[in-house]
Amino acid sequence: QKYDQGEKSLVPTTISYIPLIVAWSKSSHPNAAEPSKKSYGVVISAWAKSDDSSAPEHADRILGEMWERYEAGNESLAPDTICYTGLIDAWSKSSHPDAGEKAEAVLREMWKWHDSDPQLGIRPSKKSYGVVINAWAKSEEEDAPEQANRILGEMWERYDEGDKSLAPNTICCNSLIDAWSKSSHPDAGENAEAVLRDMWKRHKTDSQLDIQPDQQSFDAVINAWEKSGDPDASKRRSEILGEMWQNHIEGDNSLLDAWSESSETVESEKNEESDC
């Protein structure tokens, strides 16, 4: 009402509606609609997208309520992959120090349910894995890159065994590169570049994969080299910039802006070094 009267700063958000949805779902009012699996999923997703520090706990509580209603006889409210991935996303977007571990725990629970009762429809998807990798990448754990690499490796293992639905994509690999770019590991630049090389190799040898390196891939690798302190960092970054330019010439115009911005940075640093 206030918004309709001109108070544009009071526009309701998705989060604003969560208490209302939950209240109606528990109401005995004759006009109260029975909440659907989709409406529960929307609420979980809304919590994941919120800035609330306790969003993961709230999302987990909503998922728990679904299980309670399912076990009480409402089989239509059995949680599914979307609901569980929403919870993983909530942990991924949180600043919780154990976000990576918590997100992976949800992934393991999904596999447990899938193995015990496949008809429930709870099976980790490519997105589920990608969000877990991102959760580890954003965590402050010292071994975050290794953990993210382990999850990506599990995806490759399942893909090689025939599960094409879990084929890693550019987003998954970029999250791992990002993890290396944020780490203080002495080999961060080398390891980030190794992921980039693997992306190129798989892109050229397996047409079924959606794994072509993009601007974000190159930017993160260059950033990893910049932070590494390696004496060969400047040389490696220049070589990577050359590859970006070559791929632009071969038709990938999306890399042109990244090449331009990054090459200017390299030239600037070279000039600074020559002035010293």
Side-chain angles (χ1 to χ4, degrees):
Q1 184 177 1
K2 289 286 187 180
Y3 175 78
D4 293 336
Q5 292 173 353
E7 291 285 344
K8 301 305 181 183
S9 63
L10 295 179
V11 57
T13 64
T14 304
I15 301 301
S16 306
Y17 284 95
I18 290 179
L20 182 59
I21 294 173
V22 174
W24 275 109
S25 72
K26 297 179 178 180
S27 172
S28 58
H29 192 282
N31 293 329
E34 178 70 20
S36 65
K37 180 184 299 186
K38 183 176 181 179
S39 61
Y40 270 99
V42 168
V43 173
I44 291 172
S45 179
W47 276 119
K49 295 175 182 177
S50 75
D51 294 325
D52 194 307
S53 60
S54 60
E57 288 81 1
H58 285 295
D60 187 57
R61 175 176 53 79
I62 298 299
L63 187 69
E65 183 176 317
M66 292 184 73
W67 277 118
E68 289 179 7
R69 289 175 176 265
Y70 169 75
E71 292 170 354
N74 191 340
E75 296 185 358
S76 67
L77 290 182
D80 59 11
T81 296
I82 294 175
C83 297
Y84 267 91
T85 301
L87 176 55
I88 294 175
D89 195 34
W91 282 114
S92 175
K93 288 181 168 66
S94 76
S95 57
H96 197 286
D98 297 327
E101 184 178 345
K102 297 284 188 180
E104 184 176 343
V106 179
L107 182 76
R108 300 306 168 204
E109 183 177 340
M110 292 177 74
W111 277 120
K112 184 189 75 172
W113 281 114
H114 172 72
D115 293 340
S116 63
D117 192 350
Q119 293 184 343
L120 282 173
I122 302 174
R123 187 184 192 281
S125 64
K126 182 183 301 186
K127 183 176 181 179
S128 308
Y129 271 91
V131 179
V132 172
I133 293 172
N134 189 52
W136 274 116
K138 292 171 61 178
S139 76
E140 298 180 356
E141 296 290 341
E142 186 175 347
D143 63 345
E146 288 87 351
Q147 298 292 351
N149 185 63
R150 177 176 54 80
I151 300 299
L152 184 67
E154 182 178 320
M155 292 184 75
W156 282 123
E157 184 178 341
R158 290 182 180 276
Y159 173 74
D160 291 339
E161 291 175 351
D163 189 347
K164 303 306 180 184
S165 70
L166 291 181
N169 57 16
T170 299
I171 295 174
C172 297
C173 294
N174 281 352
S175 291
L176 175 55
I177 295 175
D178 188 50
W180 282 116
S181 73
K182 292 176 179 176
S183 78
S184 58
H185 196 286
D187 296 326
E190 183 177 345
N191 289 328
E193 186 176 339
V195 180
L196 181 71
R197 301 294 173 208
D198 188 58
M199 290 174 73
W200 272 126
K201 177 182 177 182
R202 293 179 184 273
H203 170 68
K204 293 177 179 178
T205 59
D206 190 340
S207 60
Q208 295 183 11
L209 293 172
D210 178 21
I211 200 171
Q212 183 173 7
D214 58 12
Q215 178 175 336
Q216 183 180 339
S217 313
F218 281 96
D219 284 347
V221 172
I222 290 172
N223 187 49
W225 275 116
E226 286 177 351
K227 293 174 59 179
S228 70
D230 191 293
D232 293 329
S234 181
K235 176 184 177 182
R236 297 300 311 124
R237 287 159 48 206
S238 295
E239 291 176 357
I240 292 169
L241 285 169
E243 290 186 30
M244 292 171 69
W245 175 246
Q246 183 60 39
N247 281 284
H248 163 65
I249 293 175
E250 293 175 355
D252 190 350
N253 294 327
S254 67
L255 297 177
L256 181 58
D257 290 340
W259 177 86
S260 177
E261 295 172 4
S262 299
S263 60
E264 289 175 1
T265 300
V266 171
E267 285 302 316
S268 175
E269 292 180 359
K270 284 182 177 178
N271 291 335
E272 289 178 2
E273 291 175 358
S274 63
D275 291 339
C276 294

